[in-house]
């Protein structure tokens, strides 16, 4: 059986639009962990201008909080990020 964890891997807010979250899934089964979408990453939080660029940051309203990255969300569930064996990107 697969357990599906719904996790928030980042936030965006570009007023007047409402705040949006980067909804990701962590799939857990006997074979390990798989992440569906990855959201805003640790390096994005640490180096936003270099990785994303000011125009896109402003247009999309990226909010950079390390505690909302996939790595930290995986840790909050009691796993280590290196236990994620597969990442499926949908867009």
């Amino acid at each position: 059986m697969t357990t599906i964890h719904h996790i928030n891997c980042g936030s965006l807010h570009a007023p007047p639009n409402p705040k949006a979250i980067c909804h990701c899934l962590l799939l857990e089964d006997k074979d390990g962990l798989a992440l569906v979408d990855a959201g805003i990453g640790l390096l994005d939080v640490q180096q936003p201008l270099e990785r994303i660029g000011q125009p896109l940051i402003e247009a999309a309203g990226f909010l950079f909080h390390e505690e909302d990255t996939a790595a930290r969300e995986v840790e909050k569930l009691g796993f280590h990020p290196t236990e994620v064996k597969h990442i499926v990107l949908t867009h």
Side-chain angles (χ1 to χ4, degrees), residues 10-91:
S11 300
L12 301 108
H13 189 217
N17 299 312
K19 185 177 176 183
I21 64 164
C22 301
H23 185 252
C24 301
L25 302 173
L26 183 66
L27 309 178
E28 173 192 358
D29 68 15
K30 63 179 177 52
D31 296 321
L33 302 175
L35 184 63
V36 179
D37 288 323
I40 299 170
L42 285 173
L43 290 178
D44 299 329
V45 171
Q46 295 166 358
Q47 303 169 357
L49 294 177
E50 295 86 348
R51 294 187 50 89
I52 297 174
Q54 193 65 39
L56 187 54
I57 291 170
E58 291 175 9
F62 280 93
L63 302 175
F64 298 101
H65 304 289
E66 184 174 326
E67 65 271 13
D68 291 337
T69 62
R72 298 300 175 249
E73 291 288 337
V74 167
E75 290 172 343
K76 287 177 198 173
L77 291 169
F79 303 107
H80 192 276
T82 59
E83 294 179 77
V84 175
K85 299 303 178 194
H86 305 283
I87 298 175
V88 179
L89 300 176
T90 64
H91 59 285

